[in-house]
Amino acid sequence: GLAQNENGWWYVKDGKLDWNFTGLTYYYGTWYYLQSGSVKWDYTSLVEHSDGAWYYVEKGILNWNYNGLVEYYGTLYYIQNGYLNWGYSGRIWYNGKWYKIVNGVAQKD
C-alpha cells in the first residue's frame, strides 16, 4: 500500500519501503502511479497495469473521467472512461480534427 510522510508518498510492502515498485496501486478509493517506490505527481500519460490493461494517468492519479486521445510514443490511442479501449472502432472529434479509430488506435481522418 501507500504511506505518506513529509517527504512524499511511498509504496510499502511487508512494512518496508519498496524502491523497486513501479506501476499502479490502489489506496483509499484512488489509483496512483508510482515509479521506483514513490508517487509520480508529475506523470501524465498511459500506464500498463498488471492486469494487462492500459490506463490514463494524469498528475500521478488514474483519471476515470477522461475520454479522448493520448499520444504515447508517437501513436494516438483512444481512451474511454480512463482506459485504453482496444475494442473501439469509429470516428471521434478531438482538438478540432476528426480521427478514425481502429481497435483503439487513432489516425487523422
Side-chain angles (χ1 to χ4, degrees):
L2 287 181
Q4 179 186 14
N5 66 16
E6 64 277 359
N7 296 312
W9 290 55
W10 312 98
Y11 185 74
V12 177
K13 183 176 180 182
D14 299 325
K16 298 178 185 174
L17 290 177
D18 183 349
W19 299 106
N20 296 316
F21 182 82
T22 295
L24 293 169
T25 193
Y26 186 77
Y27 184 70
Y28 287 105
T30 302
W31 285 92
Y32 296 88
Y33 175 65
L34 291 89
Q35 189 175 59
S36 300
S38 68
V39 174
K40 298 303 291 180
W41 298 110
D42 60 347
Y43 186 84
T44 298
S45 190
L46 294 178
V47 172
E48 184 178 16
H49 188 270
S50 60
D51 66 5
W54 287 81
Y55 297 93
Y56 177 66
V57 171
E58 185 175 18
K59 297 181 181 177
I61 297 173
L62 197 156
N63 183 346
W64 293 107
N65 297 314
Y66 184 77
N67 294 292
L69 298 178
V70 171
E71 184 176 351
Y72 188 72
Y73 289 101
T75 301
L76 290 170
Y77 295 95
Y78 176 62
I79 308 303
Q80 183 178 30
N81 297 322
Y83 80 97
L84 197 162
N85 186 345
W86 294 106
Y88 180 79
S89 292
R91 293 171 36 104
I92 67 164
W93 180 257
Y94 181 76
N95 282 346
K97 298 177 185 152
W98 281 103
Y99 289 84
K100 179 180 178 183
I101 311 296
V102 178
N103 297 322
V105 179
Q107 304 160 353
K108 284 185 185 176
D109 217 16

